Amino acid sequence: MAVRPGLWLALLDIVLAAWFRGSGAQQSATVANPVPGASPDLLPHFLVEPEDVYIVKNKPVLLVCQAIPATQIFFKCNGEWVRQVDHVIERSTDRSSGLPAMEVRINVSRQQVEKVFGLEEYWCQCVAWSSSGTTKSQKAYIRIAYLRKNFEQEPLAKEVSLEQGIVLPCRPPEGIPPAEVEWLRNEDPVDPSLDPNVYITREHSLVVRQARLADTANYTCVAKNIVARRRSASAAVIVYVNGGWSTWTEWSVCSASCGRGWQKRSRSCTNPAPLNGGAFCEGQNVQKTACATLCPVDGSWSPWSKWSACGLDCTHWRSRECSDPAPRNGGEECPGADLDTRNCTSELCVHTASGPEDVALYVGLIAVAVCLILLLLVLILIYCRKKEGLDSDVADSSILTSGFQPVSIKPSKADNPHLLTIQPDLSTTTTTYQGSLCPRQDGPSPKFQLTNGHLLSPLGGGRHTLHHSSPTSEAEEFVSRLSTQNYFRSLPRGTSNMAYGTFNFLGGRLMIPNTGISLLIPPDAIPRGKIYEIYLTLHKPEDVRLPLAGCQTLLSPIVSCGPPGVLLTRPVILTMDHCGEPSPDSWSLRLKKQSCEGSWEDVLHLGEEAPSQLYYCQLEAGACYIFTEQLGRFALVGEALSVAATKRLKLLLFAPVACTSLEYNIRVYCLHDTHDALKEVVQLEKQLGGQLIQEPRVLHFKDSYHNLRLSIHDVPSSLWKSKLLVSYQEIPFYHIWNGTQQYLYCTFALERISPSTSDLACKVWVWQVEGDGQSFNINFNITKDTRFADLLALESEGGVPALVGPSAFKIPFLIRQKIITSLDPPCSRGADWRTLAQKLHLDSHLSFFASKPSPTAMILNLWEARHFPNGNLSQLAAAVAGLGQPDAGLFTVSEAEC
């Protein structure tokens, strides 16, 4: 009889449920449940059982069961029977045994698994039966595969030294199935089987036993499973090599061929050379030592002996010896003969009187002498007459008396005693403007005590009228622009070591207060129609890597002016301090400039300048003035040519303002003798609460490879106790000489015996071995004495770092233009720019000035850079007035210009 499918499944469910309850402990393996009395050989056994699978994305998975002998096979998933319609059944007969066989397949979707996600794992199992009983297959677990995006731990960049171990951790993202990990080195797989220096731990960390240069690379951790592949951020591993010194070379030949000299030897940081940012070798690459060479002594003659008696041949002789001294050590032999023979007279040798030939000779000599004397008298007479003519020209004309002489002067109003009233010249052109062409002066205006009026005198306020003999469009444009008053302003700065401002063709000046650093932008250095924002910056040497080779040392601050690449039509002048004692025999000085690529180049060798160069330098004691047509970063570097080369060090002694404990520290600073280094120390001591306890001293530090020593003496043992365990402290020579540290200091720690002790008397010595030294006698009250506090008072940081337009210059603009127009053309009597350069002691730069379109403008620009803001206009006026320029009409001035 036929059984309906629904009834059949119901009965089957009842039977199998009872069976599962009886064998619940064996669900994970194939289990047989025979019918009593049936043959166990006819129980179903599985040829194919379902396997664990993963669902990738939304693709369903296929589970397959195949059993023999089997009359029915059904899947049950998570305790529930799969519907019969979801089964795909194939029946067949086994050919070898003739038993019935069945294969059943079902699909499991992601939605089915997600219904029970989080409660328990999703599993499926086959149940097959025959007439002899039933058999259960193993459970197959179905899981949803995934791989998260973010790594739990990523490798980090490292810098390691050669042969050091490297560990790069990596914890892959969470995933099912768990992700496999591999490593990439510069996108190439890392295979530990091919490189025994590398292995991967169970925690997936990459370990390099000993770092090699080849291990410098980008390392990436890669995690992957059947779902996705994830990459970590790359970790840059840099294997650096610290530099090592090569062996010393042989000592060079002694520098002096005679007497005491120097010889040196060198080594290089090439064993190995620093790589990948490794540390440079510490210590000196050049050593010097004293040497002595025996001096050659040239021979010298002894005094002549007496003349011998006159011989029969009417001659006598005398002799000398090369023995006073005798030549030695390769010295030259005495020049000349050791025997002298001459004619003589005696009773046997009588000379006759001179013949007519001798008389003619004497007469000729007397005639020549008389002619020479007459010629000399004629030359003297011509010279005197020319000098009288030149003196009259100079007396009749000068820039002072005719160039700036008003037509008439009458007393002015009582409320303005400085205003001059001048008869107008109706033939001249008049331009009116509101304002002043001169910078403001502190205190009374400087006046020149001269007979015929003022030269370069500052202009008063109010309204003025300008009279020009030959007006130009440039002067009119200047006056019209000046009337807007937009150029008389100062610009703020970002930090205490920076100044900036906006400039046009009128020029201006940038200054960093209390550093001695300034930038002069002359008029017309910026092309007309252009406006530049220019900055001036002081760098700390430790922030800028300036390579110094051999015996080179940094003598100046490192200064930037920019922006680089702006077009300048005339050189600007950069002013900065230096700490060298300039001497052409002791120093080789070079101006270095940093290129756009970051490398430093020698752009100027002082003493070997060519007029056509873009850079020029006026070097003075303590300061240098650099002419440049290209802005950038500059530094002055020196190389000692002998042990006579010295650097100026400023010595400062500081101590706490208030002493609240028994301890009391004296700090001795050794710094470059420049304003910027002094400013940095003073600001540091303000933060530390220190005060100056002695007047600063200057020490000349020589290139002798000897260290600087510091010691304290004569401390009263009844009141104070020194904590110094050695007799002196020492600062290595190289730390001072290389110049990359602007200041160094040592601390002397003292301790009071009693809290009531307030008087301190002692001595501090600072000296270079075999060199210069200074001694400080300290005698003051630590609680009340402030007599040295004001010696290093800095100017207010709120000053004027930027001056724009005429306010930046001491010389009024129009008077400057007249001086340039008058002195630029060559003059036969020497009343031109060359004479002005000589009067201002700038005649060593004549070739440089001559190479420029306006030599006079270069001279005045340098004067402005050297003498701002305290320049003496009277001295400049006297120099200009003393030239005796004949063109008086060119300098006719009005009331406004005076």
Side-chain angles (χ1 to χ4, degrees):
M1 129 182 119
V3 181
R4 288 179 298 175
L7 181 59
W8 169 253
L9 287 176
L11 293 174
L12 182 62
D13 188 34
I14 294 172
V15 172
L16 291 179
W19 175 69
F20 276 116
R21 284 194 299 270
S23 56
Q26 303 176 3
Q27 292 179 358
S28 61
T30 302
V31 178
N33 189 14
V35 176
S39 172
D41 296 335
L42 298 178
L43 284 174
H45 66 274
F46 288 96
L47 302 177
V48 177
E49 294 185 82
E51 302 285 343
D52 293 344
V53 290
Y54 294 95
I55 296 177
V56 179
K57 297 182 180 178
N58 292 319
K59 296 180 181 179
V61 295
L62 180 67
L63 300 180
V64 179
C65 276
Q66 186 178 7
I68 186 175
T71 57
Q72 290 293 338
I73 299 177
F74 284 96
F75 275 93
K76 192 170 189 180
C77 295
N78 275 51
E80 296 182 0
W81 292 104
V82 178
R83 295 183 307 170
Q84 184 178 8
V85 295
D86 294 331
H87 291 72
V88 177
I89 303 173
E90 291 185 6
R91 300 179 182 273
S92 61
T93 302
D94 185 57
R95 295 181 180 179
S96 59
S97 62
L99 296 175
M102 288 187 66
E103 180 178 305
V104 178
R105 296 186 296 275
I106 65 170
N107 286 321
V108 179
S109 66
R110 184 186 183 101
Q111 291 77 7
Q112 291 175 264
V113 177
E114 286 179 341
K115 287 181 180 179
V116 297
F117 183 73
L119 301 176
E120 57 179 321
E121 288 191 299
Y122 193 90
W123 56 269
C124 291
Q125 190 177 37
C126 289
V127 179
W129 62 84
S130 67
S131 58
S132 298
T134 59
T135 304
K136 295 182 297 181
S137 71
Q138 65 181 7
K139 286 183 178 180
Y141 289 90
I142 299 92
R143 301 179 177 89
I144 298 175
Y146 67 92
L147 183 63
R148 300 195 184 279
K149 292 184 178 181
N150 297 326
F151 281 73
E152 296 184 4
Q153 184 179 9
E154 292 187 294
L156 300 177
K158 290 181 180 291
E159 292 186 3
V160 297
S161 62
L162 194 66
E163 298 184 353
Q164 182 182 343
I166 305 174
V167 178
L168 296 176
C170 176
R171 293 172 58 189
E174 178 187 351
I176 294 178
E180 298 178 357
V181 173
E182 66 177 5
W183 284 87
L184 301 179
R185 178 196 287 136
N186 289 340
E187 303 303 322
D188 295 327
V190 177
D191 190 352
S193 63
L194 301 178
D195 187 355
N197 193 42
V198 177
Y199 69 93
I200 300 175
T201 65
R202 292 182 178 179
E203 293 78 19
H204 310 298
S205 297
L206 179 66
V207 177
V208 180
R209 292 183 172 88
Q210 288 186 328
R212 303 156 297 188
L213 289 176
D215 294 323
T216 298
N218 292 321
Y219 289 83
T220 308
C221 181
V222 179
K224 60 181 179 179
N225 64 5
I226 59 176
V227 179
R229 174 188 174 96
R230 311 289 188 203
R231 292 168 56 98
S232 71
S234 295
V237 174
I238 298 176
V239 181
Y240 61 85
V241 180
N242 292 326
W245 288 114
S246 64
T247 57
W248 289 102
T249 61
E250 297 294 330
W251 288 103
S252 64
V253 179
C254 193
S255 61
S257 58
C258 170
R260 187 176 182 271
W262 296 91
Q263 57 183 166
K264 63 181 180 179
R265 62 177 183 174
S266 61
R267 57 181 177 175
S268 58
C269 189
T270 56
N271 188 31
L275 292 174
N276 298 334
F280 198 77
C281 304
E282 294 184 358
Q284 304 168 7
N285 66 334
V286 177
Q287 282 186 347
K288 286 185 179 180
T289 185
C291 58
T293 306
L294 293 176
C295 296
V297 178
D298 295 337
S300 182
W301 292 111
S302 64
W304 287 101
S305 64
K306 293 183 179 181
W307 288 101
S308 66
C310 193
L312 296 178
D313 57 352
C314 295
T315 61
H316 60 169
W317 56 269
R318 61 178 180 174
S319 64
R320 57 182 178 177
E321 295 180 352
C322 188
S323 60
D324 190 22
R328 63 179 182 270
N329 302 330
E332 297 290 336
E333 294 288 339
C334 299
D338 59 353
L339 186 65
D340 185 18
T341 303
R342 292 184 181 177
N343 295 328
C344 62
T345 60
S346 68
E347 296 177 354
L348 301 177
C349 298
V350 179
H351 290 276
T352 61
S354 298
E357 301 88 350
D358 296 334
V359 175
L361 176 62
Y362 294 144
V363 171
L365 292 176
I366 293 173
V368 171
V370 171
C371 292
L372 291 176
I373 293 172
L374 292 176
L375 179 61
L376 180 60
L377 292 175
V378 172
L379 292 176
I380 293 174
L381 182 61
I382 294 173
Y383 173 78
C384 292
R385 290 190 176 182
K386 285 190 175 181
K387 187 173 185 304
E388 290 175 0
L390 181 60
D391 292 340
S392 63
D393 290 342
V394 174
D396 292 340
S397 60
S398 69
I399 291 179
L400 179 66
T401 57
S402 66
F404 297 91
Q405 181 177 0
V407 177
S408 64
I409 301 177
K410 294 188 292 185
S412 65
K413 298 179 182 179
D415 58 347
N416 193 355
H418 300 290
L419 184 63
L420 303 179
T421 303
I422 302 175
Q423 286 296 115
D425 183 358
L426 300 180
S427 63
T428 61
T429 302
T430 301
T431 306
T432 302
Y433 78 98
Q434 187 75 25
S436 171
L437 292 180
C438 289
R440 295 181 179 178
Q441 307 290 332
D442 296 327
S445 301
K447 297 183 179 179
F448 311 130
Q449 304 300 323
L450 302 173
T451 59
N452 291 321
H454 299 287
L455 173 67
L456 312 180
S457 61
L459 305 181
R463 191 176 184 87
H464 304 276
T465 301
L466 305 182
H467 298 272
H468 304 276
S469 314
S470 54
T472 64
S473 60
E474 293 182 357
E476 293 175 357
E477 181 182 359
F478 164 72
V479 173
S480 64
R481 285 180 177 272
L482 191 61
S483 62
T484 63
Q485 297 291 321
N486 288 333
Y487 303 108
F488 293 91
R489 61 190 181 93
S490 63
L491 297 174
R493 55 192 172 147
T495 66
S496 62
N497 288 334
M498 181 178 180
Y500 62 91
T502 304
F503 301 91
N504 64 358
F505 75 96
L506 292 174
R509 189 187 305 262
L510 287 175
M511 297 168 291
I512 302 179
N514 304 307
T515 63
I517 298 171
S518 65
L519 180 69
L520 178 73
I521 306 166
D524 290 323
I526 297 175
R528 291 177 178 260
K530 299 286 187 180
I531 297 178
Y532 296 156
E533 177 151 342
I534 297 178
Y535 63 81
L536 183 65
T537 304
L538 168 64
H539 300 277
K540 292 184 177 181
E542 56 267 27
D543 296 338
V544 179
R545 189 167 184 176
L546 174 63
L548 298 175
C551 301
Q552 287 185 338
T553 177
L554 181 63
L555 297 177
S556 74
I558 301 176
V559 179
S560 290
C561 54
V566 297
L567 175 64
L568 298 175
T569 57
R570 286 174 175 78
V572 297
I573 301 179
L574 175 64
T575 304
M576 57 185 179
D577 291 350
H578 69 84
C579 62
E581 284 292 333
S583 170
D585 299 329
S586 304
W587 285 104
S588 173
L589 301 176
R590 299 176 185 274
L591 180 67
K592 286 185 174 286
K593 180 176 182 290
Q594 193 172 27
S595 66
C596 297
E597 294 77 18
S599 60
W600 287 86
E601 302 170 346
D602 292 339
V603 296
L604 182 63
H605 187 182
L606 273 66
E608 300 179 6
E609 302 95 338
S612 60
Q613 283 184 311
L614 295 174
Y615 310 94
Y616 197 82
C617 182
Q618 158 75 3
L619 188 68
E620 298 180 359
C624 58
Y625 304 89
I626 300 167
F627 292 79
T628 175
E629 296 181 25
Q630 292 184 354
L631 304 183
R633 183 173 296 174
F634 298 90
L636 184 66
V637 171
E639 182 174 5
L641 300 179
S642 68
V643 291
T646 61
K647 292 175 63 173
R648 296 189 315 276
L649 300 182
K650 181 157 285 188
L651 306 178
L652 304 174
L653 272 63
F654 283 89
V657 174
C659 184
T660 58
S661 64
L662 295 179
E663 288 189 358
Y664 191 78
N665 294 328
I666 297 177
R667 292 181 290 275
V668 183
Y669 286 87
C670 306
L671 57 141
H672 289 175
D673 188 16
T674 58
H675 287 86
D676 61 290
L678 180 62
K679 173 184 176 180
E680 187 171 357
V681 171
V682 172
Q683 289 178 339
L684 174 63
E685 280 297 326
K686 281 186 177 180
Q687 298 174 1
L688 297 177
Q691 65 171 340
L692 189 70
I693 61 174
Q694 275 290 306
E695 290 187 10
R697 304 274 182 86
V698 174
L699 182 142
H700 292 85
F701 192 78
K702 295 195 302 184
D703 179 23
S704 62
Y705 290 91
H706 290 299
N707 298 336
L708 190 71
R709 292 182 178 178
L710 305 93
S711 61
I712 189 168
H713 304 273
D714 300 337
V715 179
S717 58
S718 60
L719 300 176
W720 296 85
K721 180 174 65 176
S722 174
K723 292 187 175 182
L724 189 65
L725 301 179
V726 293
S727 58
Y728 59 85
Q729 300 187 63
E730 201 166 53
I731 300 177
F733 167 86
Y734 184 75
H735 289 180
I736 298 176
W737 192 254
N738 66 1
T740 55
Q741 301 181 60
Q742 284 189 305
Y743 66 88
L744 300 160
Y745 72 91
C746 289
T747 300
F748 293 102
L750 303 176
E751 184 177 352
R752 292 185 287 178
I753 303 298
S754 169
S756 61
T757 301
S758 59
D759 292 325
L760 175 61
C762 61
K763 293 181 180 179
V764 174
W765 292 351
V766 183
W767 77 101
Q768 185 184 17
V769 180
E770 298 185 10
D772 191 17
Q774 292 288 356
S775 175
F776 295 88
N777 294 320
I778 300 175
N779 189 356
F780 77 113
N781 187 294
I782 65 174
T783 60
K784 298 183 295 185
D785 200 338
T786 59
R787 53 186 156 162
F788 303 103
D790 296 330
L791 287 180
L792 301 180
L794 298 178
E795 298 176 5
S796 172
E797 292 292 343
V800 183
L803 294 173
V804 184
S807 62
F809 305 96
K810 294 284 290 182
I811 307 172
F813 181 81
L814 294 181
I815 296 179
R816 166 193 167 95
Q817 293 301 106
K818 291 182 178 182
I819 296 175
I820 293 173
T821 305
S822 174
L823 300 184
D824 269 349
C827 180
S828 60
R829 287 187 294 273
D832 57 9
W833 62 269
R834 293 175 179 83
T835 308
L836 177 62
Q838 293 174 359
K839 287 181 175 291
L840 298 179
H841 307 291
L842 301 175
D843 46 337
S844 60
H845 309 300
L846 292 181
S847 58
F848 170 71
F849 296 147
S851 67
K852 301 304 176 184
S854 175
T856 309
M858 293 296 103
I859 296 173
L860 297 181
N861 294 342
L862 181 55
W863 188 91
E864 290 277 6
R866 296 170 68 193
H867 296 90
F868 189 86
N870 301 317
N872 191 338
L873 283 172
S874 300
Q875 294 179 356
L876 179 62
V880 175
L883 297 181
Q885 256 292 343
D887 190 1
L890 184 64
F891 293 96
T892 302
V893 296
S894 68
E895 168 190 347
E897 293 173 358
C898 292

